[in-house]
Amino acid sequence: MKTGLKLLMVCSVLILLLGGCSSRPEADTLAVIQAQKDSNYAEMFNALSLGNVFDYNLSLPHADKTWVEVWVEGYKKGKKMQESPLISLSYGFAPSQTSAGALGWGIVNEGGAQKSMILYAPGAGTGLSSVPEVIDKNLSSMMGSVIGDQKLELKAGDSAILAVWRQNESGGYQTYGPEQLEEMLQTDTVTLVLKIKVDTKNPK
């Protein structure tokens, strides 16, 4: 009798524990981002001499509940350009629970100071968008992904800088990390910043 009672108690505890596990909230990470150095997009841009591209892998573990915004801000001598954001992309609430694929920003050369940009993400894209006179062909340029090789995890309401394009006359660049953004804006003639934000609601 005692043995049967003990088994009943153990089973009851297990049921309570399993019920507690199932009622716990889902993991709060909405996006996982990692730079891709030798991606198909990078190879295509290099092979065709199209220009420059920043390419990442974007994983959305809760794609059906996630809204993604990606955009490029432009600054001249520390002041935001009137046309900023120069290009933007937003999408979300996918029919599937999870999503993964390429996320990127391409700067396409068209000769002289004429440039076009493109943003792409899993299942979404902007097409080419002309941004003439934004980038100065006579200035020294530097570009870089700011998240390195580490995976970047974003929660609801989080935003992050993924990449920057910098131009100035001296070319004396030291760093391009997100924590130095204010310094970059003060020292650069032109600063272009790729940003991303994820949330559980449409900002509209």
Side-chain angles (χ1 to χ4, degrees):
M1 189 70 178
K2 290 183 178 180
T3 302
L5 182 60
K6 288 181 179 179
L7 286 174
L8 181 61
M9 291 176 65
V10 170
C11 289
S12 299
V13 171
L14 286 174
I15 291 172
L16 288 173
L17 287 174
L18 291 173
C21 289
S22 62
S23 65
R24 289 177 182 172
E26 296 178 350
D28 54 4
T29 295
L30 295 185
V32 181
I33 309 167
Q34 188 168 25
Q36 300 187 103
K37 295 181 179 180
D38 300 317
S39 67
N40 292 333
Y41 287 95
E43 292 180 1
M44 178 184 68
F45 266 69
N46 290 332
L48 299 178
S49 299
L50 292 177
N52 305 99
V53 65
F54 301 88
D55 192 59
Y56 303 85
N57 181 72
L58 172 64
S59 176
L60 304 176
H62 308 291
D64 55 336
K65 302 177 182 178
T66 303
W67 188 261
V68 181
E69 295 179 88
V70 186
W71 71 99
V72 176
E73 292 180 356
Y75 298 85
K76 283 190 175 181
K77 297 182 178 179
K79 295 183 178 180
K80 184 175 287 189
M81 299 178 186
Q82 290 185 352
E83 58 269 35
S84 189
L86 302 175
I87 189 171
S88 62
L89 172 68
S90 59
Y91 70 101
F93 306 141
S96 58
Q97 184 176 357
T98 62
S99 171
L103 165 74
W105 170 34
I107 303 174
V108 181
N109 297 325
E110 296 183 6
Q114 180 74 20
K115 301 281 185 179
S116 289
M117 294 184 186
I118 185 172
L119 291 176
Y120 56 87
T126 62
L128 284 177
S129 178
S130 180
V131 286
E133 308 302 328
V134 169
I135 297 173
D136 192 331
K137 67 175 183 177
N138 298 314
L139 295 179
S140 171
S141 300
M142 181 180 186
M143 61 178 186
S145 173
V146 303
I147 65 174
D149 296 327
Q150 296 182 351
K151 289 184 178 180
L152 175 65
E153 297 187 2
L154 300 179
K155 300 178 182 179
D158 284 351
S159 61
I161 297 174
L162 298 181
V164 295
W165 174 288
R166 306 178 59 185
Q167 287 193 304
N168 61 43
E169 296 180 356
S170 66
Y173 303 100
Q174 299 298 320
T175 184
Y176 41 80
E179 64 277 4
Q180 285 83 27
L181 178 59
E182 289 302 320
E183 178 184 345
M184 286 190 285
L185 297 182
Q186 292 176 10
T187 59
D188 294 348
T189 303
V190 176
T191 312
L192 306 182
V193 185
L194 174 65
K195 291 186 174 183
I196 185 172
K197 181 179 181 179
V198 296
D199 212 333
T200 54
K201 56 185 178 181
N202 187 327
K204 294 179 182 180

